[in-house]
């Protein structure tokens, strides 16, 4: 058994603020990936009033062996009130930046693209100053569905590569490494002004060279932002941790990412896709793009 090192300990959160966020989420019957995926940063993020909303869930049509979200072959129909409830949460929490992600909905012809669009429109109606990041599944390679989401003009489109190519069959058996790269490539081609983002987990048996190759692959499709974080086993029935990567190695990847052209690389043991996502507002101010 691999022993968890000291650098993975998290500070106790300010429960008064955490409780306020939880109360709003329960009142509006909303899910967050923070809770569903057992994120280690939930205390910190909730304590400052940020959350990554999980739509079309909480059950997923895929059963990736690293993920703590429930699997269900035939999940519930989409809730038409979800976009309105999500927008109300953004208003109540007074969010400057919001992240919307979803479970995989391979049962839907568009993979849930229309629901993403409705959520974006709902937020724009009540909080037009809020910047929006969507963290989307691979949509089974439905590029028309991708275009539908991009037409709603989210400021950031995030799609996680999750791991290196060699480990895909074991870690993400229903995914496809090349398809994920293709999604990011097509996003850039369809929407020059949209910032693209991806994320990978480490500690599953990858090598330093393989991580760097994945970083280069992401830059080949002009990915702007990358997050790299330590994989943590949610339970004994999930994939085990092979290694706990040192903070020094995460720092080395961050520095390497800057040399190959990423606008930002957030790389640390506790980094997750949406961790400190609000910092993208500063990135956009420093690297402005047009709206066409």
């Amino acid at each position: 058994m691999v022993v968890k090192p000291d650098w993975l300990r998290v500070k106790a959160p300010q429960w008064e603020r955490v409780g306020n966020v939880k109360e709003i989420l329960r009142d509006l019957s909303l899910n967050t990936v923070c809770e569903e995926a057992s994120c280690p940063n939930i205390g910190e993020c909730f304590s400052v009033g940020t959350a990554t909303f999980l739509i079309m869930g909480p059950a997923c049509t895929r059963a990736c062996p690293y993920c703590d979200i429930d699997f269900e072959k035939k999940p519930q129909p989409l809730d038409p009130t979800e976009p309105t409830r999500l927008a109300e949460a953004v208003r109540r929490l007074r969010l400057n930046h919001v992240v919307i992600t979803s479970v995989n909905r391979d049962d839907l012809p568009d993979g849930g693209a229309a629901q993403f669009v409705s959520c974006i429109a709902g937020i724009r109606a009540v909080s037009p100053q809020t910047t929006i990041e969507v963290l989307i599944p691979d949509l089974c390679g439905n590029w028309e569905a991708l275009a539908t989401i991009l037409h709603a003009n989210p400021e950031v489109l995030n799609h996680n590569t999750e791991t290196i190519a060699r480990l895909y069959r074991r870690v993400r058996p229903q995914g496809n490494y090349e398809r994920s790269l293709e999604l990011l490539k097509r996003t850039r081609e369809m929407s020059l002004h949209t910032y693209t983002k991806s994320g990978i987990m480490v500690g599953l048996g990858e090598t330093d060279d393989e991580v760097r190759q994945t970083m280069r692959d992401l830059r080949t499709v002009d990915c702007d932002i990358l997050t790299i974080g330590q994989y943590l086993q949610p339970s004994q029935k999930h994939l085990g941790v092979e290694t706990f990567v040192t903070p020094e190695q995460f720092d080395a990847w961050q520095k390497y990412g800057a040399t190959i052209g990423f606008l930002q690389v957030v790389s640390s043991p506790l980094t997750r896709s949406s961790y400190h996502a609000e910092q993208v507002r500063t990135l956009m101010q420093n690297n402005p793009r047009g709206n066409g």
Side-chain angles (χ1 to χ4, degrees):
M1 179 180 177
V2 186
V3 179
K4 187 182 293 186
D6 290 343
W7 62 73
L8 284 168
R9 294 179 180 176
V10 296
K11 294 180 180 179
Q14 301 173 12
W15 286 110
E16 182 178 349
R17 184 65 168 125
V18 170
N20 181 51
V21 175
K22 281 181 172 285
E23 185 178 329
I24 289 172
L25 295 172
R26 297 296 84 77
D27 183 48
L28 295 169
S29 300
L30 291 168
N31 299 305
T32 65
V33 73
C34 323
E35 296 170 293
E36 299 298 331
S38 305
C39 179
N41 303 314
I42 186 171
E44 179 180 351
C45 294
F46 276 20
S47 70
V48 296
T50 64
T52 299
F53 294 99
L54 181 70
I55 63 172
M56 298 184 278
C60 183
T61 55
R62 299 187 189 179
C64 298
Y66 66 86
C67 185
D68 203 26
I69 292 176
D70 291 337
F71 165 69
E72 193 171 322
K73 286 185 178 180
K74 295 182 179 179
Q76 296 295 314
L78 296 182
D79 185 343
T81 72
E82 184 175 54
T84 302
R85 290 184 283 110
L86 174 55
E88 175 61 14
V90 171
R91 186 191 69 79
R92 290 192 198 178
L93 290 168
R94 299 188 295 276
L95 299 183
N96 291 320
H97 184 78
V98 62
V99 182
I100 310 167
T101 190
S102 78
V103 294
N104 283 280
R105 289 299 300 261
D106 296 339
D107 58 312
L108 302 173
D110 70 348
Q115 192 80 341
F116 271 105
V117 171
S118 295
C119 288
I120 293 170
I123 293 167
R124 298 267 193 243
V126 302
S127 187
Q129 81 285 354
T130 299
T131 49
I132 299 174
E133 175 177 330
V134 291
L135 171 53
I136 68 171
D138 63 23
L139 305 170
C140 295
N142 183 339
W143 308 132
E144 289 185 7
L146 175 63
T148 296
I149 294 172
L150 290 172
H151 189 68
N153 287 317
E155 278 79 10
V156 181
L157 187 132
N158 186 350
H159 172 68
N160 284 337
T161 315
E162 300 292 12
T163 189
I164 61 162
R166 177 176 59 85
L167 294 177
Y168 246 66
R169 183 171 294 182
R170 180 165 69 94
V171 175
R172 205 178 194 187
Q174 291 168 279
N176 181 283
Y177 183 78
E178 295 300 332
R179 184 167 64 198
S180 286
L181 292 176
E182 181 75 6
L183 184 151
L184 293 164
K185 177 175 181 286
R186 286 178 179 263
T187 296
R188 170 62 67 243
E189 293 170 350
M190 293 180 193
S191 184
L192 292 174
H193 62 282
T194 302
Y195 297 84
T196 55
K197 179 177 176 181
S198 192
I200 60 172
M201 308 171 290
V202 293
L204 286 163
E206 68 292 318
T207 67
D208 175 47
D209 286 344
E210 288 174 320
V211 172
R212 290 173 185 251
Q213 182 59 58
T214 301
M215 295 172 76
R216 291 192 294 271
D217 290 345
L218 288 165
R219 281 302 301 142
T220 298
V221 296
D222 207 16
C223 182
D224 295 311
I225 304 165
L226 176 64
T227 58
I228 308 175
Q230 171 72 50
Y231 167 69
L232 297 175
Q233 185 182 29
S235 77
Q236 290 301 312
K237 64 183 180 181
H238 292 85
L239 285 176
V241 175
E242 296 287 333
T243 55
F244 286 112
V245 179
T246 66
E248 291 75 19
Q249 179 63 75
F250 281 105
D251 289 344
W253 287 327
Q254 186 168 24
K255 291 172 183 175
Y256 179 68
T259 69
I260 61 174
F262 283 103
L263 294 181
Q264 182 185 52
V265 177
V266 183
S267 177
S268 75
L270 288 173
T271 291
R272 296 295 180 268
S273 273
S274 306
Y275 188 44
H276 291 172
E278 72 281 357
Q279 293 177 359
V280 78
R281 289 171 65 90
T282 301
L283 180 146
M284 290 188 290
Q285 291 170 0
N286 294 336
N287 301 273
R289 293 177 180 166
N291 292 320

